[in-house]
Amino acid sequence: MTDIVSDIRVARSEARRLAAVPTDRKDAALESMASALDRRRAEVLKANASDMERAASEGIGKVMMKRLAVDDVKIDSMISGIRSVISLKDPVGETMSTMELDDGLMLYQIRCPIGLVGVIFESRPDVVPQILSLCLKSGNGVVFKGGREATETNRCLFEILTDAVSEYVPASAFVMIETREDVNAILGLNEYIDLLIPRGSNEFVRYIQRNTSIPVLGHAAGICHVYVDSDADLGKAWDIVLDSKVQYPAVCNAMETLLVNRRVADRFLPRMAELFSENGTEIRCDPMSLALMKGAVPASDEDWDTEYNDYIVSVRIVSTVEEAVDFINTHGSHHTDAIITENTSNMSYFIDNVDSADVFVNASTRFADGYRFGKGAEIGISTNKIHSRGPVGMEGLMIYKYVLMGGGHVVKDYVGDSARKFKHISSDRTLVVR
């Protein structure tokens, strides 16, 4: 444990150096990461095969196995994600706002890195290049802790990527830890780690939230809904609902509960049942929808509050858009919820009243993703109401500081009977120091 604390202390110090690295060197490091991953992909595949073999022998479920698996297509996606970060604007040092307080006294609000970020995740090795690329571009150090099931793959990816960046940036700003004991150690390191990002099961995220005083960015559950309105285009609805559930059910933005307006239920649900069945999805229904969906089983009260992460869906008939919104706000996790409708009044009501990080109209919930939102990649999806919300890219790794540029100004000139007056005039000037 002493070595881990020492490594993290060094990473904290090196993160400050990383914050000052110029954009061209960070972009060169990112391209080096992408090239190295492409060149050394056979090593990654071999390491992943070892993890997959061990996971299979331990009886890990098929959903977790799918998250764990890495193939050439997934490596191509990792490489593409890294290169997409190169194209993003460097946020470090950006002037967010400027105010002229008085003649020659300018106040600048400047974007800067948070510092050292701790990322604790389960199953998905692609988190390593995603987070590392975003942290590097945004000038943040990062401490990784992956799940035991992906130990070999995570270690291989981390070594490839950090070797690749060492020529350009301080690689000691990046640390990977591997033991369960190390997790509990880093939860107490609030003097070194500025932000924790957990990515995993509900129980896992809640454990992190309960056991640390470090700020936590993320979501504990992904209970997402699609509401098929009385004025829905049913052709769109069948496609969107199916995609939301079965395109990749093991992720947090997959639909778990389908709500259908009673005025279209008898036309919509029988065909939807066929589509779910054709795609191996178990259907759990309330009493009204049960009669319309062949092969379905009754839902329990627990189903409305369950994130399945599997080929299981719960279905409920509602009477109005207001009832749908109330149900979503009561049983959802404030992650991603969608309405399918051609009625602009109902669209507006849904958008205004659903209390979720992502609210979609006539689109699959699976679009709730940092890459799809044009963020290059994502550090996670947050249901927080402070700092960042929804799919979080580099903006979630940034904070700001104030820089005051004066010319010998002192506060005593601004107090008393003959005090100078502040101007407080907004300006479009940017901070330039040469």
Side-chain angles (χ1 to χ4, degrees):
M1 186 177 298
T2 302
D3 290 342
I4 290 302
V5 174
S6 176
D7 289 345
I8 291 173
R9 188 184 297 118
V10 170
R12 170 78 172 189
S13 177
E14 293 293 271
R16 296 191 182 103
R17 290 182 55 213
L18 178 62
V21 172
T23 304
D24 59 347
R25 291 191 68 80
K26 291 190 289 188
D27 286 346
L30 289 165
E31 178 54 41
S32 181
M33 285 169 55
S35 297
L37 188 51
D38 191 19
R39 188 174 61 252
R40 300 175 62 181
R41 65 175 63 214
E43 298 173 44
V44 179
L45 295 173
K46 181 179 179 182
N48 187 250
S50 177
D51 284 331
M52 292 289 286
E53 182 179 354
R54 184 179 65 254
S57 70
E58 294 176 356
I60 289 179
K62 65 178 182 179
V63 172
M64 295 290 279
M65 290 287 283
K66 187 172 182 179
R67 288 183 175 184
L68 174 60
V70 174
D71 56 16
D72 276 309
V73 173
K74 193 167 283 190
I75 292 175
D76 288 341
S77 179
M78 295 178 192
I79 293 167
S80 177
I82 294 169
R83 287 191 167 130
S84 69
V85 174
I86 297 174
S87 67
L88 297 178
K89 181 180 178 182
D90 188 344
V92 180
E94 176 187 351
T95 300
M96 299 172 64
S97 66
T98 305
M99 180 170 287
E100 183 180 3
L101 303 187
D102 198 1
D103 293 338
L105 188 62
M106 301 296 297
L107 180 65
Y108 300 89
Q109 186 184 26
I110 305 299
R111 208 178 296 278
C112 61
I114 285 177
L116 185 61
V117 178
V119 180
I120 309 174
F121 61 101
E122 294 179 321
S123 301
R124 294 176 55 183
D126 53 334
V127 168
V128 177
Q130 281 181 7
I131 301 290
L132 187 53
S133 58
L134 287 171
C135 283
L136 191 152
K137 185 69 177 263
S138 60
N140 288 278
V142 59
V143 179
F144 288 104
K145 170 61 178 78
R148 184 180 68 86
E149 66 282 354
T151 297
E152 299 296 330
T153 314
N154 290 338
R155 183 188 300 140
C156 182
L157 285 167
F158 183 79
E159 289 176 356
I160 289 171
L161 298 176
T162 52
D163 285 350
V165 305
S166 59
E167 180 183 347
Y168 305 97
V169 300
S172 296
F174 311 116
V175 175
M176 176 163 282
I177 61 179
E178 297 185 348
T179 71
R180 184 182 296 272
E181 292 74 19
D182 290 336
V183 174
N184 292 325
I186 68 173
L187 294 182
L189 296 179
N190 58 304
E191 61 187 302
Y192 301 120
I193 298 175
D194 298 291
L195 179 70
L196 281 176
I197 303 171
R199 295 179 60 165
S201 67
N202 303 355
E203 296 76 15
F204 171 75
V205 175
R206 290 192 180 104
Y207 176 84
I208 300 300
Q209 292 170 330
R210 288 194 304 265
N211 288 278
T212 186
S213 61
I214 302 169
V216 177
L217 185 150
H219 65 280
I223 303 174
C224 303
H225 299 75
V226 176
Y227 166 58
V228 179
D229 186 45
S230 57
D231 292 314
D233 178 319
L234 297 190
K236 292 179 184 176
W238 284 313
D239 289 343
I240 291 168
V241 169
L242 188 67
D243 187 83
S244 295
K245 178 69 257 185
V246 308
Q247 195 275 330
Y248 192 177
V251 287
C252 60
N253 58 18
M255 179 192 72
E256 307 295 7
T257 298
L258 170 62
L259 303 175
V260 180
N261 190 282
R262 62 180 176 82
R263 289 172 55 190
V264 297
D266 60 345
R267 288 178 287 142
F268 177 76
L269 287 176
R271 175 57 181 156
M272 197 69 247
E274 293 175 359
L275 293 170
F276 281 143
S277 296
E278 289 168 6
N279 286 272
T281 302
E282 179 184 334
I283 310 166
R284 301 180 182 179
C285 291
D286 75 334
M288 290 180 65
S289 60
L290 186 63
L292 298 171
M293 303 193 80
K294 185 178 180 180
V297 299
S300 67
D301 289 341
E302 289 75 25
D303 281 307
W304 313 120
D305 301 297
T306 298
E307 180 180 13
Y308 301 114
N309 284 325
D310 204 346
Y311 288 93
I312 305 170
V313 64
S314 55
V315 182
R316 187 182 187 94
I317 292 176
V318 296
S319 297
T320 63
V321 65
E322 291 83 2
E323 183 182 345
V325 168
D326 287 345
F327 186 90
I328 289 168
N329 287 338
T330 300
H331 296 278
S333 59
H334 313 291
H335 189 297
T336 301
D337 299 287
I339 182 173
I340 306 172
T341 188
E342 303 301 311
N343 184 312
T344 55
S345 177
N346 288 352
M347 286 180 195
S348 296
Y349 184 86
F350 194 88
I351 292 168
D352 292 343
N353 290 279
V354 169
D355 182 21
S356 295
D358 305 304
V359 180
F360 294 172
V361 177
N362 294 330
S364 168
T365 60
R366 289 283 290 115
F367 281 105
D369 173 83
Y371 178 75
R372 296 180 184 121
F373 275 24
K375 297 174 181 291
E378 70 180 29
I379 61 172
I381 294 182
S382 172
T383 54
N384 295 357
K385 291 192 177 181
I386 56 172
H387 184 53
S388 291
R389 199 179 191 202
V392 180
M394 279 198 296
E395 79 284 353
L397 294 169
M398 306 304 294
I399 191 61
Y400 55 82
K401 58 186 172 184
Y402 289 100
V403 176
L404 184 64
M405 301 290 287
H409 294 74
V410 292
V411 168
K412 72 179 181 63
D413 294 338
Y414 296 85
V415 297
D417 294 337
S418 59
R420 288 180 63 91
K421 301 294 185 183
F422 287 106
K423 291 185 174 183
H424 290 152
I425 299 172
S426 295
S427 169
D428 59 1
R429 289 173 58 178
T430 58
L431 177 62
V432 178
V433 181
R434 301 188 185 279

